[in-house]
Amino acid sequence: MDALDTTELMPAHASRLLALSPDLLGACDFDGRVSLHSPAWERTLARPGDAITGAAFRDLLHPEDRDEVAAALDALAAGGPAASFTARMGRPDGDHAWVLWSAQASPEDGCVYLAGKDITERMKLEDELHHRAQGLERANAELQEFAFIASHDLAEPLRMITSYLELLQRRYGGQLDETADEFIGFAVGGAERMRKLIDDLLAYSRVGSHELDRAAVDLAELVGHVLRALGPAIEESGAEVEVPDVLPAVHADPTQLGQLLQNLLANAVKFRAPDRPPRVRIGAEHDDGGVRLTVADNGIGIPDAHRDRIFKMFARLHGRDEYDGTGIGLALCRRIADRHGGRIWVESQLGDGSAFHVWIPAA
Ligand code: ADP
């Protein structure tokens, strides 16, 4: 059967509509020659109309895409269902346009109808985003490695400094004058603070580098474990910790969730008000397709202006002489929440306690 000349069959209003379309509308006969094309083809392919009409569709394609598209068109001509494919269309200047084609054969008209969307800009953007994401991933991995190596390698000389300082203290403490004892004490204190800082930095970098090992975590068991680890601090402060009888399961990495809870609970006890013993309430409930954990205290509270800042690395609202710490705990908590696809935030009233919430999505 001879292919129909679809151009001649077209009523004038259809032809005007075709001219208006930003998409590439047209048809190929069953030999793969373009029998009809809208003006959008000329713009996208940067070719004059007479270089398109009658041309083999295959020749308009980027050489690497020809076989795949030819196979798709053959399948259509053989009676296959409507298909969609993305192909690069060659331009005379050597560049190419990305086109997303939908195609359907019409045995009665003896052709394959084609509708194509020029997605060159989108593909360029995707490519750029992909490159940027790769660059960021690389930079992040390097930073991660740097943080780990730096903190790991710092720990070794520090152990040596600490043990010699302790030796000095043990062997010569009281034999030198009072000022010398005081100086040694400062040095021991400084080394101890540095050890805490290195430990916290290592914990922070590990959260980024380790694969998340998510499982159904028994919260009651985890909370019990964390409370035992904080036993001395809780006892010393006289804190009362309220834990609900029933806690939901959370789909999380148990080690990381334990670190998060431990940091929040330690802070709830540490930032207590001077005039009252700490009361801490732990809560967990299903919320918005996940579980929201809450650690609420009756401590000193947080000024409005600092509610976001405290989650940043090294951000502290008090001097070390008031409350000890490294300023890494909440940054670590936020990193753990982020890695789980969740979030962390605080509600607080200065002087009247804080409630830290962590939302972790379900599996
Ligand atoms: P650190 O506890 O080592 O100081 P964090 O990152 O855990 O560091 O906390 C950052 C700061 O946020 C703290 O120094 C403190 O000022 C504030 N903060 C954290 N938790 C509480 C809390 N429960 N009550 C009041 N302030 C808090």
Side-chain angles (χ1 to χ4, degrees), residues 295-302 346-349 352-356:
V295 175
D297 62 55
N298 64 339
I300 57 173
I302 295 156
V346 66
E347 287 174 319
S348 181
Q349 208 68 48
D352 197 21
S354 317
F356 283 84

Side-chain angles (χ1 to χ4, degrees), residues 122-135:
R122 195 177 91 194
M123 295 302 273
K124 272 190 193 155
L125 270 177
E126 271 177 24
D127 202 42
E128 199 181 311
L129 272 179
H130 179 69
H131 271 100
R132 279 198 198 175
Q134 270 186 333

Side-chain angles (χ1 to χ4, degrees), residues 38-117:
S38 61
W41 288 57
E42 292 155 40
R43 288 194 295 273
T44 301
L45 273 56
R47 292 171 197 269
D50 54 13
I52 298 173
T53 311
F57 187 67
R58 181 189 166 84
D59 292 344
L60 300 175
L61 294 159
H62 187 287
E64 284 171 19
D65 293 352
R66 281 179 188 156
D67 290 345
E68 205 175 313
V69 172
L73 291 180
D74 285 348
L76 282 169
S84 147
F85 50 87
T86 301
R88 283 165 294 178
M89 310 302 292
R91 285 182 171 154
D93 62 4
D95 206 359
H96 60 260
W98 283 94
V99 177
L100 171 63
W101 291 102
S102 300
Q104 181 157 33
S106 168
E108 31 318 352
D109 296 344
C111 67
V112 174
Y113 286 110
L114 292 158
K117 186 169 270 308

Side-chain angles (χ1 to χ4, degrees), residues 1 54 60 68 92-93 106 143 154 156 192 233 246 256 264 300:
M1 179 177 77
L60 300 175
E68 205 175 313
D93 62 4
S106 168
L143 201 65
L154 279 173
E156 202 277 321
E192 170 62 12
V246 185
Q256 293 194 6
L264 293 184
I300 57 173

Side-chain angles (χ1 to χ4, degrees), residues 267 270-271 297 302 310 315-318 325-327 329-330 354 356:
N267 280 351
K270 177 165 66 172
F271 295 104
D297 62 55
I302 295 156
I310 54 170
R316 309 198 68 232
L317 307 182
H318 310 276
T326 58
L330 286 180
S354 317
F356 283 84

Side-chain angles (χ1 to χ4, degrees), residues 127-149:
D127 202 42
E128 199 181 311
L129 272 179
H130 179 69
H131 271 100
R132 279 198 198 175
Q134 270 186 333
L136 270 177
E137 218 167 275
R138 226 179 3 254
N140 205 15
E142 277 165 16
L143 201 65
Q144 185 71 41
E145 199 178 351
F146 170 76
F148 181 77
I149 291 175

